[in-house]
Amino acid sequence: MPQIEAVLGDITREETDAIVNAANSSLRGGGGVDGAIHRAAGPELARAGAMLGGCKTGDAKATPAFRLDPPVKHVIHTVGPVWRGGGDGEPELLASCYRRCLEVADEVGARSVSFPAISTGIYGYPAADAARIAVGTLTSTPTGVERIRLVAFDEATRDLLAAELARDVGSGPAGNPDGFAER
Ligand code: AR6
């Protein structure tokens, strides 16, 4: 299982092999963290995104990182669900985003990956529920990724992520809900 930490910061300043973008299905750029990543990576990013033919909600696709500073080599674009009250498959789709990002990271050989809090901004996903899904999915998906940074843009989100990580450690290896006890 990768080492996972929750930090406060701007994901465009991360020093990991890959950063994840909370994109829209066009992959041509947008607001929020998507806008910040496109500004930092340069116009080549939108051109590369456009060539991928879009991305479905819950899926992820990689492009080069273009003008982002090394060691960042890849941007993994994922499309989170728009929050519509929770009964429209949003939890499964958000979990799928985190899972697919790890699969794509493995495909491109990224050993360290930084994630934003997917869907919790413009798409309106409640931050506490999203933090639970982020940590639960990242700790239960087999991957070659060794280091994950959950990059929050505000303290409340960072605290929610840190609390979920602390809870997960408390639940023992592989997220065993019975703690460290053997069944
Ligand atoms: N670094 C880290 N986190 C950030 C940054 C940053 N530079 N900027 C914002 N955040 P959002 P979504 C946080 O709205 O909800 C775009 O238009 C932000 O505070 O960026 O998945 C896309 O094109 C929040 O916690 O993404 C889509 O149309 C989190 O990143 C749509 O928004 C996600 O907020 C996607 O909406």
Side-chain angles (χ1 to χ4, degrees):
M1 196 178 95
Q3 175 214 335
I4 308 180
E5 58 187 325
V7 298
L8 189 61
D10 175 350
I11 203 164
T12 66
R13 312 297 293 269
E14 285 294 290
E15 297 184 341
T16 44
D17 295 340
I19 64 171
V20 170
N21 181 19
N24 60 61
S25 57
S26 80
L27 301 186
R28 292 164 192 253
V33 70
D34 193 11
I37 290 173
H38 276 263
R39 279 192 297 279
E44 298 94 334
L45 190 65
R47 286 200 282 276
M51 285 172 63
L52 292 175
C55 184
K56 293 201 172 94
T57 303
D59 198 4
K61 295 184 177 182
T63 64
F66 299 105
R67 299 182 202 184
L68 283 161
D69 288 332
V72 181
K73 288 193 286 290
H74 313 279
V75 177
I76 300 173
H77 306 262
T78 190
V79 183
V82 176
W83 179 254
R84 294 195 173 91
D88 210 14
E90 295 94 326
E92 293 78 12
L93 288 166
L94 187 61
S96 173
C97 287
Y98 284 96
R99 209 163 34 239
R100 284 288 302 136
C101 284
L102 289 180
E103 288 171 6
V104 171
D106 285 338
E107 283 164 22
V108 300
R111 288 284 180 264
S112 55
V113 183
S114 301
F115 285 82
I118 301 162
S119 277
T120 66
I122 293 165
Y123 281 178
Y125 209 110
D129 294 341
R132 186 169 40 74
I133 290 170
V135 171
T137 307
L138 292 172
T139 53
S140 63
T141 302
T143 179
V145 174
E146 292 159 3
R147 192 161 66 93
I148 293 174
R149 284 167 59 86
L150 300 174
V151 182
F153 211 42
D154 58 84
E155 287 187 17
T157 300
R158 193 268 317 271
D159 292 349
L160 286 167
L161 290 163
E164 286 301 328
L165 287 170
R167 194 201 314 271
D168 204 80
V169 167
S171 73
N176 173 0
D178 291 340
F180 290 93
E182 297 285 337
R183 273 186 204 257

